[in-house]
Amino acid sequence: MEQHGDFVDSALKTTILPGVHVGSDHALGVLDQGRPGPTVVVSGGMHGNEPAGVRAILRILETLRAESAPVAGRLVGLCGNVGALRLGVRFTDRDLNRCWDSPSVSYLRATLGHTAEDVEQLELLQAFDAAIAQARGPVVHLDLHSMSADGVPFIVVCDHPQSVQLARELCLPGIAGLEKAIPATTIEYFTTLGHIALAVEGGQHQSPSTEDTLESVAWLLLASVGVIAWSAVPDLAGRRARLRARGLNLPAVKVTYRHGISPADHFRMKPGYRNLQAVHAGEVLAEDDSGPVRAPADGWILLPLYQPVGTDGFFIGSPVVQA
Ligand SMILES: [Zn+2]
């Protein structure tokens, strides 16, 4: 039976957000003009209640197409958890961004039988692997996220010297060493394969500034690695200024201390701490059954725990000494 590609393609597409249709390949769009250069794989909506990244990617693709901007290498825009985005929930059966370590990926590839997120992850694996296989140069992954609470936006930097260097171009504080707090994300998948990967926490899910932050970081990344010219970034100076202001001009930070906890500690964070807030040595940050819990050094508090579940009470970051 003869099949008409366009018809079949559009018939299989699903509406995930008003005006946004995605097929089982999770593609939001691909730009490739056959020129040599790196491949940038940008994903958004790995968590279904975080649509800002998806919209940011679409706006960039639309702008580059409308301007007929020259593209060196390849830009691949991907949508994460399609089913959860349709429902507006973080996930359906399990978190799609906590299962990208090698054992989990191998197990998933080898098994049948599947939760909603198993299917999403298998489809995304195919999309990631296809993008990597088709790359004609270095591969860089950028994953766009947002947060439930207001907070200073930041970049999660992988353990790769080029990743730290790249984060400096993105005008937000880069945080190195968070792997213990947030393991098995897509960053781990790409870095295990030897590629550079970064994630952005752009701000509160619904805040208009979050979408602008995510879009701006992606624009700066595309220009930093040379997929587009700096002159192709709309409002470059404005974007840089807004990012620096939202990131409070904080430096790159490395996690130097983790306060691990167990349920028996009855750990209680003092109210009012925000991610990346400055703290001082000796400051009482929390209480547990043995008394006050103090900051061991000057620095910035990272991911203070206010949910009842977790084994990381908080982390302390110190400035990365720049070479
Ligand atoms: Zn997220």
Side-chain angles (χ1 to χ4, degrees), residues 46-47 50 90 97 144-146 201 205:
M46 291 295 294
H47 295 128
E50 302 176 13
R90 184 173 169 91
N97 202 31
L144 308 179
H145 287 263
S146 54
E201 286 288 357
H205 297 321

